[in-house]
């Protein structure tokens, strides 16, 4: 017990510290490894999530804004100044971009060849192009739309785990966990409701991501026939 004596009076004010975990889900009391484990299980069990921010992979920077769930995903990816949209429903993957995206620069100087490329690209402007499963780009592009693949790869912290400060991500109270004092990544985990991961700073300056709209469903609808082009076994190349 704490008793503070003041001249002429007895005061108990300030003797008991406020419990930082009062009204929370309690994960702030756990070790860093247990917090990471609980956050991973919460993410795995969620039906949907929105993932936005930047990812640096193999010296390339990607800006993502993807909505993901078990049966597929949809959203935009920007790389090298080019933005394209992805839509996956089951195994069916579609890519939509402007004509500049489809204009291939292979060093051609022949005016007719360039004109032919531009004409072909113009026909694909704003269309969903079906990505064949045998095309080399299918695996990489579909990975951007796969909730489990993205979260498994993104949420891992590297090195010795430690528990950091409490704070807020948006309006939600969070607890921070780090790998190798932040060099291996930093993850903010919700202290309210389920312990969802809400913000990730990837180790090695490999990007920062926000994870929002947990369990908020969204529609996935196949493009109409007049909005889609199917080239068969391979995407168009010049």
């Amino acid at each position: 017990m704490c008793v503070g004596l003041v001249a002429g009076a007895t005061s108990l004010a300030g003797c008991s510290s406020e419990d930082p975990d009062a009204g929370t889900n309690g994960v702030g009391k756990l070790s860093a490894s247990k917090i990471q484990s609980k956050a991973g299980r919460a993410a795995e069990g969620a039906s949907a999530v929105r993932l936005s921010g930047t990812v640096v992979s193999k010296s390339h920077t990607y800006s993502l804004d993807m909505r993901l769930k078990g049966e597929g995903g949809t959203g935009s990816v920007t790389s090298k100044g080019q933005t394209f949209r992805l839509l996956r429903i089951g195994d069916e993957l579609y890519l939509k971009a402007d004509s500049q995206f489809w204009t291939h620069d292979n060093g051609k100087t022949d005016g007719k060849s360039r004109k032919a490329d531009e004409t072909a690209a113009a026909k694909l402007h704003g269309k969903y192009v079906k990505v064949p499963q045998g095309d080399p780009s299918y695996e990489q592009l579909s990975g951007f739309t796969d909730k489990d693949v993205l979260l498994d790869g993104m949420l891992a912290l590297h090195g010795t785990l430690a528990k950091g400060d409490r704070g807020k991500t948006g309006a939600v109270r969070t607890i921070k966990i780090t790998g190798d004092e932040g060099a291996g990544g930093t993850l903010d985990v919700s202290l309210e409701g389920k312990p969802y991961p809400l913000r990730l700073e990837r180790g090695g300056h490999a990007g920062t991501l926000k994870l929002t709209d947990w369990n908020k469903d969204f529609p996935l609808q196949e493009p109409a026939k007049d909005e889609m082009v199917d080239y068969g076994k391979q995407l168009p190349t010049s």
Side-chain angles (χ1 to χ4, degrees):
M1 295 181 63
C2 172
V3 179
L5 297 177
V6 181
T10 300
S11 174
L12 298 180
C15 293
S16 59
S17 60
E18 182 180 350
D19 181 2
D21 295 301
T24 72
N25 53 25
V27 299
K29 299 178 180 180
L30 304 177
S31 67
S33 60
K34 287 186 177 179
I35 295 173
Q36 183 186 42
S37 178
K38 281 186 171 291
R41 288 199 298 270
E44 183 180 358
S47 61
V49 64
R50 182 174 184 175
L51 189 151
S52 58
T54 59
V55 174
V56 181
S57 178
K58 298 179 180 179
S59 75
H60 294 302
T61 299
Y62 301 92
S63 295
L64 310 179
D65 188 359
M66 300 296 301
R67 300 194 70 178
L68 312 166
K69 57 183 179 180
E71 56 268 42
T74 184
S76 66
V77 179
T78 301
S79 178
K80 298 179 181 179
Q82 294 284 332
T83 299
F84 55 91
R85 293 194 62 82
L86 292 172
L87 168 65
R88 183 177 62 83
I89 307 172
D91 292 330
E92 304 299 326
L93 176 66
Y94 304 91
L95 185 156
K96 182 167 74 169
D98 61 19
S99 57
Q100 186 179 357
F101 178 90
W102 296 109
T103 302
H104 304 276
D105 183 5
N106 289 337
K108 290 181 178 179
T109 58
D110 182 273
K112 290 184 178 180
S113 297
R114 287 197 172 192
K115 185 64 176 178
D117 286 348
E118 292 171 359
T119 301
K123 293 179 180 179
L124 300 178
H125 181 86
K127 297 278 190 179
Y128 279 102
V129 177
K130 188 174 182 180
V131 183
Q133 293 185 42
D135 191 274
S137 62
Y138 180 90
E139 184 175 356
Q140 179 186 12
L141 293 174
S142 64
F144 287 122
T145 67
D146 192 312
K147 171 179 173 286
D148 293 336
V149 168
L150 274 180
L151 294 184
D152 286 348
M154 302 286 185
L155 295 182
L157 299 179
H158 304 287
T160 302
L161 295 180
K163 190 161 60 172
D165 296 331
R166 290 170 171 79
K168 282 190 174 183
T169 299
V172 180
R173 287 184 292 175
T174 55
I175 181 76
K176 191 181 298 293
I177 56 175
T178 63
D180 277 350
E181 299 181 342
T186 301
L187 188 66
D188 294 339
V189 178
S190 177
L191 288 173
E192 302 177 16
K194 290 190 176 182
Y196 290 121
L198 299 182
R199 186 176 185 273
L200 170 69
E201 290 186 24
R202 303 182 72 208
H205 305 288
T208 301
L209 293 164
K210 293 191 300 182
L211 300 101
T212 58
D213 293 350
W214 288 103
N215 284 319
K216 291 186 179 180
D217 196 18
F218 59 92
L220 286 174
Q221 187 172 353
E222 184 175 306
K225 288 185 178 181
D226 60 351
E227 297 177 333
M228 189 263 289
V229 178
D230 186 350
Y231 276 90
K233 295 183 179 181
Q234 190 173 9
L235 286 177
T237 59
S238 59

